[in-house]
Amino acid sequence: MVIELECTGRGDADVEAFQLFENPLPDEHGKGPKNKSLSASHTASNKMGSPHNLTFPTSTKQLPSNGRFWSPLKAIPLSSFYKLHRVPSLTAMAEPGQDDAHTIELPRSEPTSNPELHHTSPQNGIIHNKLLEQVVRTPGRQPSPQPTHLSLPGPSQHRVLHEEGSGYVAPKFEGKELQMDQVMDQIEEKGFIPPEFVESETNWFYNELGIDDMYFQTETVPAIVNHILSLYAGKVAAFARDDGRLEIRLDKEAVDHAVYIDTSKPGLSVIDGPRYEQRIDEKYIDGSKGSNSYRVETFRSGSHLPGEKDQQLRCYFVYKCHFANPNPGSEETRLEIIGEKRFLQKATQNTKEIYQEVMDHAVSRTGPVIEMFEMEGSREKRLVIAYRQGSAMGMFSALSDLYHYYGCTSSRKYVEQFSNGITIMSIYLRPLRQTVPDARHPPIEAAIHQIMKEVSLLYCIPHNRFQAHFASGRLSLQETIYAHCVWVFVGHFLNRLGSEYASLASILDPNNSVHAEMLSKIKRRLRTETFTSDYILEIINKYPDLVRSLYLAFASTHYVQTRGEQDDFIPTLSYLRLKIDTVLNDTELKSLISKTVANEHDEMVMTAFRVFNAGVLKTNFYTPTKVALSFRLNPNFLPEVEYPQPLFGMFLVISSEFRGFHLRFRDIARGGIRIVKSRNREAYSINARSLFDENYNLANTQQRKNKDIPEGGSKGVILLDVNHQDKVRVSFEKYIDSIMDLLIPPTSPGIKDPIVDLHGQQEILFMGPDENTADLVNWATEHARKRGAPWWKSFFTGKSPKLGGIPHDAYGMTTLSVREYILGIYRKLNLSPSTVRKLQTGGPDGDLGSNEILLGNEKYTAIVDGAGVLVDPHGIDGAELIRLARKRVMISEFEVSKLSPDGYRVLVDETNVTLPSGEVVNNGMIFRNTFHLRGGKQFDIFVPCGGRPESIDLSTVHKLIVDGKSTIPYIVEGANLFITQDAKLRLEKAGCIIYKDASANKGGVTSSSLEVLASLSFDDQTFIENMCIREDGTAPPFYDAYVKEVQATIKRNAALEFEAIWREHQRTGVARSTLSDTLSIAITKLDEELQKTELWKNATLRKSVLEDALPQLLLEKIGLDTIIERVPDNYLRAIFGSYLASRFVYEHGSSPSQFAFFDFMSKRMAKLSEGIREIS
């Protein structure tokens, strides 16, 4: 029986408020300095003197003489630390005066008889990982001009602190003696403790537990009485137990502070129980922000509990922060300004100096800053970790599992918050006391290095799905986080569609957009069944030994020894294993899985681990500092029946706050990064299941849309975890930075070490804004520059003009393309725009909607936006619409007095609204969502500029068709995926002229492509001079001129495609929606073929095509030869192919004769020859 004493609410609660519960023991934590054997003269000190006074041990003779080293360390082979333990040089760990006579021998696995294993099996019990010089290098990857200083773990030789004590000195509480008397008086009045024990119990609480005066000054006398009575009750309850063990759990939570006290065994993590550290994380630390921040002090009592040799009391004190300056500047680092008042009052000068140095680093970095300090005269280590508030949820409790795993315990811990948004933790670690050497754990001098390295893994995923295996010691941290990542992978890619889907897919035509869309819907439905994420998790949890073997195969491929045999970071496997495992090849892993698993489902899940291992081309898993885990995958494992269009590249990024993909269909590709939120847990489950397919389809749409530009299609999608819907910025920053880990060569040893690159080719990604990321692209651009990426200028489009961006909304880039299709219809049919009745979804507050209003001159009769519906059959007042569009506000701000008597406005939050016709609208939200489906011939043209995907599908399209005729004659789809492909074809069959999104909505991608081209063509200095808006808001002359050329290019490309589709439809009768796709496919296929032909090698032709394809202004300003020198060859090759392919297809159609291209190129070559003759 465990007595749990809970005191919640006000600090003056009476003892009657305690309640008794039966619960198991929580996990272990900190220790205090009051034990006589740990007096101030013997405890770790942390005074940091000047750099000249710092002591760095250079040999084993300088190691502390009063710390107990486990003998005989000098003779322990590396394999004694279980094959893949990362430790420093063994020479540096030798115990002075020890001889080599006594060695620790560990069992080893028997040699295998299979000759194929000889190249992977350990020799002499040691895994020989790839040395640095043997790493597969990426051709052309040169060090970036600026070192990567992202998450510095501290110097390789750590400083020694000379100050005695904890580094905190609480102000003396002058009324302590008087308070003790009052406490004893009230305890005697309660009558629960015999009078002869009152003084001893009170004295024990005040003087033996190590509680500082801050607690006694903060708490009321009744609260202290309650705590003492609670502890005494726990002692009494121990007598009722068969084993006589004393277990106490006390928690008291007031408005501005909290106290938690429990019993624990040092070095032991307990998975169940009240889990006070997890509660502190969730209730106080994770949510700390601004004035609602909390600092934590925790320590372990200096003495053991009565009758308990291995148990001590562990105390936690949580205080709400009161900052010296609650609102400092974002870059402020001075502790006296950003510090919390209690911290500034209690911290010694030495502690402030340590925190100041760490703070200076933390403010300028994305990830954690990790420092370690040796404690003079002790084996104790002081670990200091700093990170941005809210970027590492659950870190405080997760750290305990980490150092417990390596045989360490904490004597005390502090969590400090600062008003500039930085959290700093300080943890004092010491080895567990053991009477005999324990081969399960390395000495703390080795373990501390591993703990520091693995903090970055914890930062990425503080609590993974297999945490219980880690806390119990069954698996190492690296193994459990590896399993967590594969669990995510399996959830997205386990083939669970069955043979029926494959049969159906073989019958249907994947190139037919209607068939493809139907297959996509069937696939989405089938995937909701059978293998849920929980079921996959349950299966993996059954096979920790398989996980261990699979991880070993992963580690042996991707870990690099950067410092040869003296490497201090060899991939760690479980220290609890008492044998040396063998690295199995894939065939042996397959056999092992088949022999181990219980059924077919289990085999499918565990086999996916092999697929994952085989697919990873590079990863930042072993990078010393990282903010999320990223994997560059070879997408060839994707089944062709499900994904007929092959991907070129795939990135998977995993963090505690999100999971995300980046997919691209070509080496040179561009597309936006979007963040997906979920309203609730059910919505998250749906979003998670469809995440990859949505990303794939978006990238595929982008591929078709990018037909006129050198970049293929790509897309990035970030799905926020259901519990982290507010972590938009944090997730975006981690996603971007972790992908950059795999793109930028490392230049900071110990911070960003080399990685194994099985892809072996330089990669550059081109990204842009999308849903929920428009305001984050400036950060990404600046961050790429800080990390020394040579392509920082072109990394992101949509950035601020001050960074050289060309904002689509400011210049109407997307709208210009849409307008070209609208004007094309008017031109072909001789329509007067002023008489055309127009319906538009997406109102004056949006990019596309506002610019459509500003550029259009039709007779608007209805506009639908986020606020509601605005209708006027006689035409909505144009001047008022333009006012709203320029102000970028919704129709809720429309002046309704300017509507005609037949006009009306219905907002989404209105109910029971009577329209001029007498119709009653019961619900404004439903009316808004379905207005575009209302029958009747009220409109001549419909231009969707906003709205949810699939707003018109096969189940609703009939509402727009009356007597076989479309009620809306013309539709130009400005919004992406607004109408499904099958619905488009039904409308076209009913006589509607439709131009789909992939054709109409391509102005933005053209603008972004030309923005990228300028970024690549200029060097840094001339780019700033010519493409960056100045601080006073004025634009360089070149910038203004270049924007106009971009606009002209957008209109020209749109007109070319409009004419080609119109002509092909007139000639063949094929639906325009189908022709749009066939033209895109024809252009991209021809483009890829042209890049592989000998035509590129014809220098004269190459220059001629580039002169036509490149913007004239760039050619005049920079020169073709300089552009060719600066722009990557694969990008120039893509320009060459896309320009020739698009011009040919627009001229000759998607199904030209076999001689058409020959004729096309003959004319070009003849023109080129004629130009050469004229020059000569």
Side-chain angles (χ1 to χ4, degrees):
M1 181 176 69
V2 178
I3 302 300
E4 179 173 319
L5 304 124
E6 181 178 9
C7 174
T8 58
R10 299 180 305 166
D12 57 352
D14 292 331
V15 70
E16 288 78 3
F18 288 115
Q19 298 178 3
L20 302 181
F21 298 91
E22 291 203 12
N23 270 313
L25 183 68
D27 56 345
E28 180 276 336
H29 289 292
K31 180 173 181 180
K34 288 292 183 179
N35 187 358
K36 293 180 180 179
S37 64
L38 295 173
S39 62
S41 61
H42 290 89
T43 54
S45 59
N46 61 354
K47 179 178 181 181
M48 181 176 68
S50 67
H52 301 290
N53 295 329
L54 297 180
T55 304
F56 299 94
T58 57
S59 71
T60 57
K61 295 180 180 179
Q62 292 179 260
L63 293 171
S65 59
N66 61 339
R68 293 186 179 180
F69 281 81
W70 296 322
S71 75
L73 290 178
K74 187 175 182 180
I76 296 177
L78 184 61
S79 57
S80 299
F81 297 131
Y82 300 85
K83 185 166 60 172
L84 291 179
H85 166 51
R86 300 179 179 183
V87 297
S89 166
L90 295 177
T91 305
M93 299 193 306
E95 172 76 11
Q98 293 287 347
D99 57 37
D100 297 344
H102 306 286
T103 59
I104 296 177
E105 293 293 338
L106 299 175
R108 298 174 182 168
S109 58
E110 294 299 322
T112 177
S113 58
N114 188 343
E116 294 181 1
L117 286 181
H118 290 168
H119 69 287
T120 57
S121 299
Q123 298 178 12
N124 299 323
I126 301 175
I127 283 292
H128 292 283
N129 289 285
K130 289 168 287 298
L131 297 181
L132 180 57
E133 57 270 16
Q134 297 171 329
V135 177
V136 179
R137 293 291 191 176
T138 304
R141 275 169 64 106
Q142 300 300 323
S144 53
Q146 298 176 351
T148 300
H149 285 182
L150 179 67
S151 313
L152 186 66
S156 57
Q157 290 194 341
H158 304 285
R159 288 166 291 187
V160 177
L161 303 180
H162 303 286
E163 181 183 59
E164 294 185 356
S166 67
Y168 286 80
V169 178
K172 185 176 181 180
F173 177 31
E174 298 295 341
K176 189 173 182 179
E177 295 296 329
L178 176 61
Q179 186 189 68
M180 282 185 67
D181 291 338
Q182 293 173 343
V183 166
M184 286 188 286
D185 290 341
Q186 289 199 17
I187 291 176
E188 288 183 354
E189 290 176 8
K190 299 287 184 183
F192 289 106
I193 300 178
E196 60 270 25
F197 293 149
V198 169
E199 183 175 356
S200 62
E201 290 297 320
T202 305
N203 185 65
W204 176 70
F205 184 80
Y206 267 81
N207 299 317
E208 297 298 323
L209 295 185
I211 302 175
D212 66 25
D213 283 7
M214 181 68 73
Y215 163 81
F216 296 107
Q217 196 165 4
T218 302
E219 290 292 355
T220 62
V221 169
I224 297 173
V225 169
N226 287 343
H227 293 167
I228 295 174
L229 289 173
S230 299
L231 297 177
Y232 183 78
K235 296 178 184 179
V236 174
F239 288 97
R241 294 171 57 110
D242 292 337
D243 58 7
R245 292 183 64 84
L246 172 60
E247 292 189 358
I248 297 171
R249 287 169 188 162
L250 180 151
D251 64 77
K252 180 254 182 182
E253 297 171 344
V255 175
D256 59 351
H257 69 283
V259 178
Y260 304 92
I261 301 176
D262 70 355
T263 50
S264 73
K265 181 178 179 180
L268 177 65
S269 289
V270 179
I271 300 171
D272 46 18
R275 300 173 68 84
Y276 287 140
E277 291 206 345
Q278 282 79 4
R279 190 192 300 191
I280 291 170
D281 262 331
E282 295 168 3
K283 190 166 185 176
Y284 299 106
I285 300 177
D286 290 350
S288 285
K289 187 175 183 181
S291 59
N292 192 38
S293 297
Y294 292 85
R295 63 184 299 271
V296 180
E297 299 181 15
T298 173
F299 57 86
R300 182 177 298 282
S301 63
S303 59
H304 292 287
L305 293 172
E308 301 286 340
K309 294 182 179 180
D310 59 352
Q311 288 217 108
Q312 298 167 317
L313 274 187
R314 185 182 51 187
C315 306
Y316 301 90
F317 301 96
V318 182
Y319 301 101
K320 190 168 186 177
C321 293
H322 299 281
F323 294 109
N325 182 347
N327 300 298
S330 59
E331 300 300 317
E332 181 61 65
T333 60
R334 290 171 292 176
L335 295 189
E336 64 270 19
I337 294 177
I338 61 177
E340 200 272 340
K341 291 180 180 179
R342 286 189 183 88
F343 165 76
L344 295 175
Q345 189 177 26
K346 295 179 65 175
T348 63
Q349 183 59 33
N350 173 69
T351 294
K352 291 177 182 176
E353 289 175 1
I354 293 173
Y355 280 28
Q356 185 64 70
E357 180 181 348
V358 171
M359 176 66 69
D360 291 340
H361 291 307
V363 166
S364 61
R365 297 177 194 163
T366 302
V369 177
I370 307 163
E371 294 279 3
M372 188 272 282
F373 300 88
E374 306 279 356
M375 309 303 293
E376 186 179 42
S378 169
R379 295 181 70 192
E380 193 170 51
K381 317 292 179 185
R382 184 177 185 180
L383 188 63
V384 181
I385 304 168
Y387 57 90
R388 295 186 180 276
Q389 286 180 340
S391 67
M393 314 297 274
M395 176 72 97
F396 178 66
S397 55
L399 280 168
S400 298
D401 291 337
L402 177 59
Y403 58 72
H404 291 165
Y405 183 83
Y406 289 106
C408 298
T409 186
S410 61
S411 59
R412 52 197 183 279
K413 298 187 286 191
Y414 300 91
V415 180
E416 302 293 354
Q417 309 288 355
F418 297 87
S419 58
N420 65 346
I422 298 295
T423 298
I424 299 182
M425 294 184 183
S426 191
I427 305 170
Y428 292 79
L429 297 176
R430 59 180 55 168
L432 292 174
R433 293 181 178 180
Q434 294 167 332
T435 56
V436 296
D438 188 347
R440 294 181 307 167
H441 300 129
I444 190 172
E445 290 74 17
I448 190 63
H449 292 272
Q450 184 64 33
I451 292 170
M452 291 180 66
K453 298 287 188 180
E454 295 199 359
V455 165
S456 70
L457 274 177
L458 277 185
Y459 181 81
C460 297
I461 308 176
H463 291 278
N464 66 74
R465 288 299 184 123
F466 303 92
Q467 191 78 14
H469 286 295
F470 174 50
S472 66
R474 185 78 182 270
L475 292 173
S476 71
L477 177 65
Q478 294 183 46
E479 289 166 334
T480 56
I481 289 185
Y482 162 77
H484 178 99
C485 292
V486 182
W487 168 74
V488 172
F489 174 86
V490 173
H492 291 292
F493 299 115
L494 190 62
N495 186 355
R496 49 196 183 274
L497 300 182
S499 57
E500 294 83 357
Y501 177 86
S503 300
L504 180 61
S506 65
I507 297 172
L508 299 178
D509 178 10
N511 294 320
N512 184 311
S513 52
V514 176
H515 292 186
E517 192 169 295
M518 183 170 67
L519 283 171
S520 176
K521 290 179 179 178
I522 294 173
K523 178 167 58 178
R524 194 182 313 156
R525 176 163 294 185
L526 288 173
R527 282 190 166 171
T528 63
E529 303 171 2
T530 310
F531 284 87
T532 65
S533 61
D534 288 340
Y535 183 41
I536 295 169
L537 184 68
E538 178 186 331
I539 291 173
I540 298 174
N541 265 316
K542 291 193 294 186
Y543 302 107
D545 292 336
L546 277 182
V547 169
R548 186 179 298 126
S549 297
L550 289 158
Y551 169 74
L552 181 54
F554 171 84
S556 67
T557 299
H558 292 284
Y559 179 67
V560 180
Q561 283 182 256
T562 56
R563 288 167 286 279
E565 295 302 327
Q566 302 303 314
D567 200 342
D568 66 346
F569 192 25
I570 299 173
T572 304
L573 294 185
S574 175
Y575 280 95
L576 302 182
R577 270 179 272 149
L578 297 178
K579 66 178 182 178
I580 303 298
D581 284 346
T582 298
V583 181
L584 303 180
N585 61 33
D586 188 63
T587 302
E588 291 161 329
L589 285 172
K590 180 180 180 180
S591 175
L592 179 63
I593 291 170
S594 298
K595 294 175 182 177
T596 306
V597 296
N599 54 55
E600 183 182 358
H601 279 187
D602 292 8
E603 184 170 11
M604 289 174 67
V605 171
M606 299 312 297
T607 297
F609 277 74
R610 292 175 43 234
V611 176
F612 177 81
N613 284 359
V616 177
L617 298 177
K618 49 185 173 179
T619 177
N620 70 347
F621 194 93
Y622 296 108
T623 299
T625 58
K626 49 194 166 287
V627 295
L629 296 170
S630 56
F631 304 88
R632 167 61 162 92
L633 298 168
N634 184 340
N636 63 3
F637 66 86
L638 294 173
E640 185 177 355
V641 67
E642 295 184 48
Y643 306 99
Q645 183 75 11
L647 285 168
F648 178 88
M650 176 195 302
F651 288 86
L652 169 62
V653 185
I654 300 172
S655 174
S656 59
E657 296 90 358
F658 70 94
R659 63 180 67 176
F661 289 98
H662 185 274
L663 310 178
R664 73 189 199 273
F665 281 93
R666 286 194 197 164
D667 182 15
I668 300 297
R670 202 202 71 79
I673 308 298
R674 67 169 51 182
I675 293 178
V676 177
K677 296 182 176 182
S678 308
R679 297 186 307 275
N680 50 43
R681 194 168 294 277
E682 181 182 359
Y684 173 79
S685 178
I686 294 171
N687 290 335
R689 285 197 298 268
S690 63
L691 174 63
F692 180 80
D693 284 353
E694 178 184 345
N695 196 337
Y696 179 90
N697 292 331
L698 288 169
N700 203 5
T701 300
Q702 194 76 30
Q703 170 83 348
R704 295 195 300 271
K705 192 186 298 185
N706 289 10
K707 61 178 78 70
D708 297 324
I709 62 175
E711 299 98 337
S714 72
K715 208 73 173 181
V717 179
I718 301 168
L719 175 64
L720 297 180
D721 184 81
V722 65
N723 297 316
H724 298 288
Q725 293 297 299
D726 59 335
K727 294 293 188 298
V728 171
R729 186 177 189 91
V730 167
S731 299
F732 179 82
E733 291 181 359
K734 289 186 175 184
Y735 174 88
I736 294 298
D737 188 73
S738 59
I739 287 180
M740 289 177 66
D741 284 345
L742 306 185
L743 302 178
I744 301 176
T747 58
S748 306
I751 304 171
K752 299 291 180 184
D753 282 345
I755 60 175
V756 175
D757 186 353
L758 301 181
H759 181 57
Q761 297 177 12
Q762 184 180 18
E763 291 189 285
I764 303 176
L765 301 185
F766 301 104
M767 302 179 179
D770 205 316
E771 291 180 11
N772 298 312
T773 61
D775 59 340
L776 301 173
V777 297
N778 286 349
W779 175 88
T781 303
E782 293 284 14
H783 188 62
R785 176 159 59 174
K786 288 179 181 178
R787 287 201 58 177
W791 30 260
W792 68 269
K793 304 186 300 296
S794 59
F795 185 38
F796 257 86
T797 56
K799 53 188 176 289
S800 164
K802 292 183 178 180
L803 293 171
I806 302 177
H808 298 171
D809 56 348
Y811 297 103
M813 298 303 191
T814 306
T815 309
L816 286 172
S817 178
V818 175
R819 288 300 303 171
E820 203 61 38
Y821 285 84
I822 296 172
L823 294 175
I825 293 174
Y826 297 162
R827 185 174 62 252
K828 293 291 184 181
L829 301 178
N830 295 317
L831 299 176
S832 173
S834 60
T835 64
V836 174
R837 297 170 301 168
K838 184 176 183 179
L839 163 64
Q840 178 178 313
T841 56
D845 62 312
D847 167 12
L848 191 54
S850 62
N851 282 309
E852 179 64 24
I853 291 171
L854 294 173
L855 295 176
N857 58 346
E858 295 89 352
K859 180 182 178 180
Y860 273 96
T861 53
I863 290 181
V864 181
D865 70 2
V869 179
L870 181 68
V871 177
D872 195 329
H874 305 291
I876 300 172
D877 186 275
E880 179 67 0
L881 275 182
I882 290 173
R883 180 185 73 83
L884 298 185
R886 287 177 175 162
K887 194 178 177 182
R888 287 289 179 91
V889 294
M890 294 185 183
I891 59 170
S892 55
E893 296 196 22
F894 186 91
E895 181 54 59
V896 292
S897 63
K898 297 187 177 183
L899 292 173
S900 72
D902 295 325
Y904 58 86
R905 184 187 66 186
V906 178
L907 301 180
V908 292
D909 56 353
E910 293 180 332
T911 58
N912 299 320
V913 179
T914 303
L915 305 183
S917 64
E919 178 186 354
V920 177
V921 175
N922 295 317
N923 185 297
M925 179 70 75
I926 296 175
F927 186 71
R928 189 278 307 271
N929 291 345
T930 59
F931 182 84
H932 63 282
L933 297 171
R934 288 170 69 86
K937 297 185 178 180
Q938 309 172 57
F939 315 108
D940 300 314
I941 190 168
F942 177 24
V943 183
C945 294
R948 295 300 304 161
E950 302 184 5
S951 291
I952 302 175
D953 60 15
L954 202 57
S955 65
T956 58
V957 69
H958 67 275
K959 296 181 180 180
L960 299 178
I961 299 174
V962 177
D963 298 330
K965 288 288 185 179
S966 172
T967 59
I968 302 177
Y970 324 117
I971 298 177
V972 177
E973 189 181 24
N976 286 324
L977 307 175
F978 188 86
I979 310 173
T980 63
Q981 182 70 5
D982 48 12
K984 289 190 187 85
L985 295 180
R986 286 288 297 274
L987 286 168
E988 288 207 57
K989 189 175 181 180
C992 182
I993 295 175
I994 294 183
Y995 280 91
K996 68 181 297 182
D997 53 351
S999 294
N1001 185 348
K1002 65 177 184 176
V1005 300
T1006 303
S1007 173
S1008 295
S1009 178
L1010 293 174
E1011 179 185 325
V1012 167
L1013 180 60
S1015 302
L1016 294 172
S1017 301
F1018 283 110
D1019 60 22
D1020 284 8
Q1021 184 58 40
T1022 55
F1023 178 78
I1024 293 172
E1025 293 172 359
N1026 293 284
M1027 287 297 295
C1028 295
I1029 301 297
R1030 302 184 180 100
E1031 289 298 326
D1032 60 3
T1034 59
F1038 179 87
Y1039 183 91
D1040 287 334
Y1042 192 66
V1043 166
K1044 291 178 181 177
E1045 185 166 6
V1046 171
Q1047 292 173 323
T1049 302
I1050 290 171
K1051 291 193 284 187
R1052 182 169 61 252
N1053 288 343
L1056 284 171
E1057 184 175 358
F1058 174 86
E1059 292 293 341
I1061 293 175
W1062 189 278
R1063 183 182 63 249
E1064 287 292 292
H1065 175 74
Q1066 295 289 93
R1067 184 176 66 85
T1068 65
V1070 176
R1072 293 178 177 86
S1073 299
T1074 301
L1075 287 171
S1076 175
D1077 290 336
T1078 55
L1079 283 175
S1080 297
I1081 293 170
I1083 291 172
T1084 53
K1085 279 188 174 180
L1086 181 57
D1087 178 7
E1088 291 169 0
E1089 291 171 3
L1090 286 172
Q1091 293 184 47
K1092 300 173 185 176
T1093 65
E1094 296 295 315
L1095 291 175
W1096 171 254
K1097 297 181 180 179
N1098 185 326
T1100 305
L1101 175 63
R1102 181 171 69 239
K1103 285 195 171 186
S1104 171
V1105 172
L1106 291 176
E1107 284 176 346
D1108 291 344
L1110 296 174
Q1112 193 62 34
L1113 278 173
L1114 281 181
L1115 292 171
E1116 294 172 0
K1117 188 74 175 179
I1118 303 173
L1120 180 60
D1121 291 339
T1122 304
I1123 292 175
I1124 291 174
E1125 180 184 335
R1126 290 175 178 169
V1127 178
D1129 184 74
N1130 53 355
Y1131 196 92
L1132 290 172
R1133 193 185 289 258
I1135 294 174
F1136 176 86
S1138 65
Y1139 182 82
L1140 283 179
S1142 61
R1143 270 31 184 192
F1144 171 74
V1145 172
Y1146 287 154
E1147 182 178 335
H1148 294 275
S1150 58
S1151 302
S1153 68
Q1154 57 184 333
F1155 299 107
F1157 188 73
F1158 174 79
D1159 181 58
F1160 174 80
M1161 289 304 301
S1162 296
K1163 290 178 181 178
R1164 184 166 193 94
M1165 296 302 293
K1167 183 180 178 181
L1168 185 59
S1169 300
E1170 183 180 339
I1172 293 173
R1173 283 197 300 271
E1174 289 178 359
I1175 294 174
S1176 59

